[in-house]
Amino acid sequence: MTTTARHVPPDAADVVIIGGGIMGLSAAYHLAAAGVERVVLVERGALGEGSTCKAAGGVRALFSDEINIKLGLHSLETFERFGTEFEQEIDLHQVGYLFLLDDEKDLDTFARNAELQNALGVPSRVIDVAEAKRLSPLIDTEGLVGALYSPRDGHCTPESVVLGYAGAARRAGARIVTGCAATGIDVEGGEITAVHTEHGTIRTASVICTVGAWAKEVGAWAGVTLPVEPLRRQIVITEPVPGLASDTPFTIDFSTSFYFHNEGKGLLMGMPDPVDSWGFDQTRDPEWLADLAEVLERRVPALGDVGIASGWAGLYEMTPDHNALIGRSAQVPGFLYATGFSGHGFLMGPAVGEVLRDLYTGATPLVDVSALSADRFTNADIRRELNIV
C-alpha cells in the first residue's frame, strides 16, 4: 500500500482508539460528539474488515443476562432510528428472532429468561411448535418442544452501519486513519504516554482497545490482561429460494446453533464448526459444508436442493464465560477496552460506544457494565451468557 496523508496519524491525541469496527467507530463518534477534541482512530486495514463486516447482521435484545439485554435493547433503539440520525440507511428488517428448542429443560430456562426480558422492556414470548412453524415455514418441527420469539429483533447490513458511524464521526471532528496498523503502546509508571503505529507515533494519555479477536496482543502492549481467543465461524449465502417468505424471522436451532435469515432472494446461514477451530485462520473449510448439510436435512429439508452462491469465514472474539470485556484498567487507568463479545459485538456496538464515552469522560454509563471488567476472571466473579449462537 502506498502511504498517503490519510494513512499518517497526527503527532498527538487526547484519546487513540485502536480498531475500526463498529465498536471503535461508535466510540469515536460519541466521544467527538461529546466535545472531546482530539479523537484519533487507527485501523490497520479498511474500516470494518476485521469482524464487523463479516457478521451475520443480527440485532436483538434476546439474551439471558441483564446487562446484555440492556445493551442489546439500547442498541436496537439506535438501529431503528439509524437512517435518520446518521444519514445512512442500513436495510433494517425487524422480522423477529426465533429460538427453536428441542429440550424441555431449555424451554423452562428460556421461559424464565423471557420473564426477565419482559421486565426490561423486551416483548419476547414462549410459543408452541405450531406457531414457530407458521412464523418460519421452512423448518421441520420434528423433535421441537417449543420456541422463544421476539418480534422487535431482526437483522441489518453491517457495512452500512460502518459507513454511517464513520461519516458521523468525521463530521463530529474525529480523525480516522486507515491503512495504519498500531504496533505498540508506551507505558511509564502505569501511565500511557504514546501509541506507536507503522506510520508514526501518537503522543497520548488514553487508549481505547476495540480490536476484537486481536485484543489479547494489544492489551499486552500496555501490560493489561484481556482473556480473548479467536474462534472461526463460517457463513454461506444460498441461491434464490423459491417462495421464500419476506417476513421469515432470524431463526436459530438452539441445540445445534444453526441459524438462517433472509438475504436478498436467498438465505444467509451459519453454524459452528463441529470441532472448534481456534486461531486466526479464516479460510473456509469444505468439510464444514458437509456438516451443514446434515443439519439442513434434519431441520430445513426444503433447502436440500438449493445451491450455495457465496460464503466467507470470520472470527468470534471469545472469553471464558462468553460475555464481553468492557471497562478501564485498574493497573493502567489510561487504557479502556471493549472486546470479547463472543459473537454479539455487532449488535451491541451502538450502546457500547456510548458506554465507552461515559467511561472516558467520567460520566455514569447508560448501562452499569462494571461486572464486565476483565478483572472478573481473577476475582472469580464470572457471568455466563446462554443465548450465544
Side-chain angles (χ1 to χ4, degrees), residues 282-366:
Q282 296 183 62
T283 57
R284 294 171 61 191
D285 181 2
E287 294 184 8
W288 175 79
L289 288 175
D291 295 304
L292 176 65
E294 289 185 14
V295 177
L296 288 176
E297 184 178 357
R298 181 176 65 84
R299 187 55 68 207
V300 280
L303 298 179
D305 296 328
V306 177
I308 301 299
S310 63
W312 62 87
L315 299 176
Y316 275 14
E317 44 190 285
M318 302 299 291
T319 63
D321 63 0
H322 297 174
N323 270 300
L325 309 175
I326 308 174
R328 177 189 291 273
S329 170
Q331 296 74 33
V332 185
F335 187 89
L336 291 85
Y337 51 86
T339 184
F341 287 86
S342 302
H344 50 268
F346 170 70
L347 65 91
M348 292 187 179
V352 174
E354 295 186 50
V355 169
L356 288 169
R357 172 202 62 200
D358 295 338
L359 291 175
Y360 175 84
T361 62
T364 301
L366 62 99

Side-chain angles (χ1 to χ4, degrees), residues 57-74:
V59 292
R60 61 178 167 118
L62 208 57
F63 290 96
S64 64
D65 181 275
E66 180 173 342
I67 297 176
N68 292 335
I69 294 169
K70 289 179 177 179
L71 291 173
L73 183 58
H74 187 81

Side-chain angles (χ1 to χ4, degrees), residues 198-277:
E198 60 182 340
H199 298 312
T201 297
I202 311 168
R203 298 188 309 277
T204 188
S206 296
V207 168
I208 299 178
C209 173
T210 57
V211 297
W214 295 265
K216 178 182 285 187
E217 178 184 4
V218 174
W221 294 345
V224 177
T225 300
L226 297 176
V228 174
E229 298 294 340
L231 177 64
R232 184 179 64 186
R233 284 288 189 263
Q234 300 182 67
I235 287 174
V236 295
I237 295 178
T238 73
E239 294 175 346
V241 177
L244 181 61
S246 61
D247 58 351
T248 299
F250 194 128
T251 304
I252 301 163
D253 187 45
F254 181 66
S255 64
T256 63
S257 288
F258 162 71
Y259 63 84
F260 63 87
H261 70 66
N262 290 17
E263 187 71 18
K265 295 182 179 181
L267 290 172
L268 180 152
M269 302 188 299
M271 61 175 277
D273 292 1
V275 178
D276 285 338
S277 179

Side-chain angles (χ1 to χ4, degrees), residues 83-279:
T84 300
E85 185 170 334
F86 295 95
E87 303 176 15
Q88 175 70 48
E89 292 303 322
I90 60 173
D91 201 25
L92 176 64
H93 297 277
Q94 288 181 282
V95 291
Y97 252 71
L98 179 68
F99 275 89
L100 307 175
L101 305 169
D102 59 11
D103 182 276
E104 291 288 355
K105 291 182 179 179
D106 287 337
L107 184 62
D108 291 342
T109 299
F110 272 73
R112 291 193 299 272
N113 291 342
E115 294 178 0
L116 174 61
Q117 293 155 6
N118 295 166
L120 295 173
V122 178
S124 59
R125 56 190 174 90
V126 173
I127 61 175
D128 61 23
V129 174
E131 185 171 1
K133 175 68 172 179
R134 181 183 63 78
L135 289 167
S136 192
L138 291 172
I139 66 171
D140 187 312
T141 60
E142 183 177 357
L144 296 181
V145 296
L148 182 68
Y149 176 60
S150 183
R152 190 176 177 184
D153 299 339
H155 54 91
C156 65
T157 303
E159 295 89 341
S160 296
V161 176
V162 166
L163 287 173
Y165 271 126
R170 289 187 175 109
R171 290 191 295 272
R175 174 82 176 272
I176 297 175
V177 187
T178 57
C180 181
T183 57
I185 299 172
D186 286 345
V187 179
E188 298 178 6
E191 296 183 357
I192 292 173
T193 59
V195 171
H196 297 286
T197 78
E198 60 182 340
H199 298 312
T201 297
I202 311 168
R203 298 188 309 277
T204 188
S206 296
V207 168
I208 299 178
C209 173
T210 57
V211 297
W214 295 265
K216 178 182 285 187
E217 178 184 4
V218 174
W221 294 345
V224 177
T225 300
L226 297 176
V228 174
E229 298 294 340
L231 177 64
R232 184 179 64 186
R233 284 288 189 263
Q234 300 182 67
I235 287 174
V236 295
I237 295 178
T238 73
E239 294 175 346
V241 177
L244 181 61
S246 61
D247 58 351
T248 299
F250 194 128
T251 304
I252 301 163
D253 187 45
F254 181 66
S255 64
T256 63
S257 288
F258 162 71
Y259 63 84
F260 63 87
H261 70 66
N262 290 17
E263 187 71 18
K265 295 182 179 181
L267 290 172
L268 180 152
M269 302 188 299
M271 61 175 277
D273 292 1
V275 178
D276 285 338
S277 179
W278 297 97

